Amino acid sequence: MPKSPDEIIREDIGALNGYTVPDSTGMVKLDAMENPYRLPGTLRASIARLVEQAAINRYPDAAAAELKVRLRDALGVPRNMELLLGNGSDELIQTLTLATARPGAVVLGVEPSFVMFRLIAAFAGMRYVGVELREDFQLDAERVLSAMVQHEPALVFLAYPNNPSGNLFDEELVIRIIEAAPGIVVLDEAYHAFAGKTFMHRLERHSNLLVMRTVSKLGLAGIRLGVLIGPGEWLKQLEKVRLPYNVNTLTQVVACEVLQHGKVLTDQAAAIKLERGRLLRELGRVPGVTAYSSDANFVLFRINHAERVFDGLKKRGVLIRSLHGSHRLLENCLRVTVGTPDENTAFLAALAHAVAA
Ligand SMILES: Cc1ncc(COP(=O)(O)O)c(C=O)c1O
């Protein structure tokens, strides 16, 4: 008799709740921080031609050489820094944890933040230490610094702007953390397009700093491409853990083409930022709502009876994300992704009904 999963699968994995993705068929989908705009028809047509020619009978270019050249240019990567590509930045988080998971090694993050930092640390068998943010979602630098002294983390993850709060952490406090960290500090700039601020230009000053970007929030979530940027001495070790061919041919072809038309994406990001302003203003007018200002493409807000409101929105065909119950600081909090003007109008109308119901 073969053993049961309970006997074979690691106990800590058995006890985990995995990352769940709700069914969004037919809904106004404002739950995953996607860019609501598709690419223009001409660009889609040129992608179709390139895909037609792509040699998908062969493995992809393992070094993704052309894509790296385009990314260097598009992201403004300092000359003396290297790039490591991932199947989304989720995979880069995994690469980082696998490579640093010495026995007893610690990952440090702040709470609440992007849940995959904690989950992937668990996958790699690392201990995760979550340091609570202040009530206003700003860094509590003293707590982070003393946790670093106590736990000596191999890896520190900071999302900049943070998800789910949407704010940028104070730059000076982040620098203090980088300077005091005994290991790597990863600045996850997934929402950079909507924030403008970056630590990219600081890479040369801090030898333990890595900057992570993704094309997901820019309008290319479907192709799965993340980028880690940093000094060669770190990246050449991490590169050993990367699976060969992790960035497939179609992703490479599409990303290269779209990056040559980068203005399309920056224009879309500008439209999203405008709508973010409108959403914040309108949310501020809903009785009982506290909306938190955002440097990302989503807005966190607190509302009475959040779970009931969330269900009411869903019943009216609008899917956002409830964070109620996930952390003490997120009591009665919901997070809405900025959509098209029509989608945002639909959300606001459904919200008015859900609140009144
Ligand atoms: C802070 C942060 N980092 C990374 C990701 C994941 O990005 P990707 O789609 O590149 O895996 C997300 C997705 O929501 C995020 O919020």
Side-chain angles (χ1 to χ4, degrees):
M1 261 289 267
K3 291 184 176 173
S4 69
D6 281 356
E7 295 165 288
I8 295 291
I9 301 289
R10 275 163 42 191
E11 273 177 44
D12 57 335
I13 299 293
L16 274 180
N17 288 321
Y19 189 86
T20 51
V21 178
D23 181 18
S24 57
T25 317
M27 309 276 279
V28 176
K29 190 174 184 312
L30 300 175
D31 66 327
M33 287 80 94
E34 292 144 327
N35 174 345
Y37 299 106
R38 301 200 57 191
L39 294 172
T42 47
L43 189 47
R44 297 213 312 256
S46 63
I47 288 172
R49 281 192 296 279
L50 290 164
V51 168
E52 188 187 22
Q53 288 154 19
I56 56 172
N57 54 317
R58 302 283 179 199
Y59 282 109
D61 172 4
E66 186 188 348
L67 178 54
K68 280 189 179 170
V69 171
R70 302 245 178 256
L71 281 166
R72 264 188 186 281
D73 189 39
L75 306 183
V77 174
R79 278 248 207 89
N80 52 350
M81 293 294 146
E82 298 299 325
L83 281 75
L84 178 76
L85 306 189
N87 189 328
S89 39
D90 284 345
E91 192 189 47
L92 293 169
I93 300 169
Q94 187 185 49
T95 305
L96 283 155
T97 54
L98 286 176
T100 54
R102 291 174 171 226
V106 167
V107 172
L108 187 141
V110 292
E111 293 286 330
S113 189
F114 183 43
V115 292
M116 294 310 287
F117 301 146
R118 177 166 45 79
L119 263 184
I120 296 176
F123 299 164
M126 295 176 90
R127 191 155 67 83
Y128 176 84
V129 173
V131 181
E132 197 164 284
L133 294 171
R134 295 185 340 203
E135 301 270 328
D136 61 357
F137 300 115
Q138 191 47 257
L139 279 176
D140 189 334
E142 298 315 319
R143 277 172 92 160
V144 175
L145 293 172
S146 69
M148 288 201 307
V149 171
Q150 191 185 343
H151 301 286
E152 297 201 9
L155 271 176
V156 174
F157 283 108
L158 294 173
Y160 185 83
N162 190 39
N163 168 18
S165 48
N167 58 315
L168 285 163
F169 296 133
D170 183 282
E171 199 176 332
E172 291 307 314
L173 298 183
V174 175
I175 293 169
R176 274 177 67 194
I177 290 168
I178 297 169
E179 287 177 346
I184 300 172
V185 178
V186 180
L187 262 280
D188 177 352
E189 299 186 342
Y191 301 97
H192 169 259
F194 314 100
K197 291 186 81 176
T198 178
F199 273 73
M200 188 81 81
H201 59 280
R202 293 204 158 264
L203 282 167
E204 282 155 305
R205 266 180 266 179
H206 307 283
S207 62
N208 61 335
L209 171 65
L210 302 179
V211 170
M212 192 164 66
R213 296 277 183 88
T214 174
V215 298
S216 294
K217 317 298 172 183
L218 266 178
L220 298 173
I223 69 170
R224 310 299 296 129
L225 177 65
V227 191
L228 190 68
I229 303 125
E233 62 170 344
W234 287 114
L235 264 55
K236 82 170 179 240
Q237 299 302 332
L238 299 172
E239 184 69 39
K240 297 178 191 170
V241 182
R242 180 180 75 86
L243 294 178
Y245 315 122
N246 64 329
V247 179
N248 73 71
T249 301
L250 301 181
T251 295
Q252 294 191 32
V253 161
V254 175
C256 280
E257 181 63 7
V258 178
L259 289 173
Q260 288 177 75
H261 300 86
K263 189 168 178 311
V264 167
L265 302 181
T266 44
D267 285 353
Q268 290 180 347
I272 291 167
K273 283 200 277 185
L274 269 182
E275 274 297 300
R276 173 180 74 195
R278 173 185 158 226
L279 256 187
L280 270 166
R281 281 192 303 280
E282 302 264 338
L283 274 171
R285 289 197 195 111
V286 181
V289 165
T290 307
Y292 294 90
S293 75
S294 169
D295 294 293
N297 64 340
F298 57 86
V299 174
L300 181 77
F301 62 100
R302 209 181 288 274
I303 188 163
N304 294 332
H305 314 293
E307 284 287 286
R308 211 186 64 204
V309 172
F310 173 77
D311 290 337
L313 285 166
K314 217 162 136 184
K315 251 187 247 145
R316 289 169 180 84
V318 179
L319 183 66
I320 64 168
R321 181 74 184 242
S322 174
L323 296 156
H324 180 74
S326 65
H327 190 272
R328 187 181 76 84
L329 296 180
L330 296 173
E331 203 181 325
N332 276 319
C333 279
L334 303 177
R335 185 191 66 199
V336 60
T337 305
V338 181
T340 62
D342 284 352
E343 287 172 337
N344 299 332
T345 301
F347 157 70
L348 289 163
L351 183 69
H353 280 110
V355 169

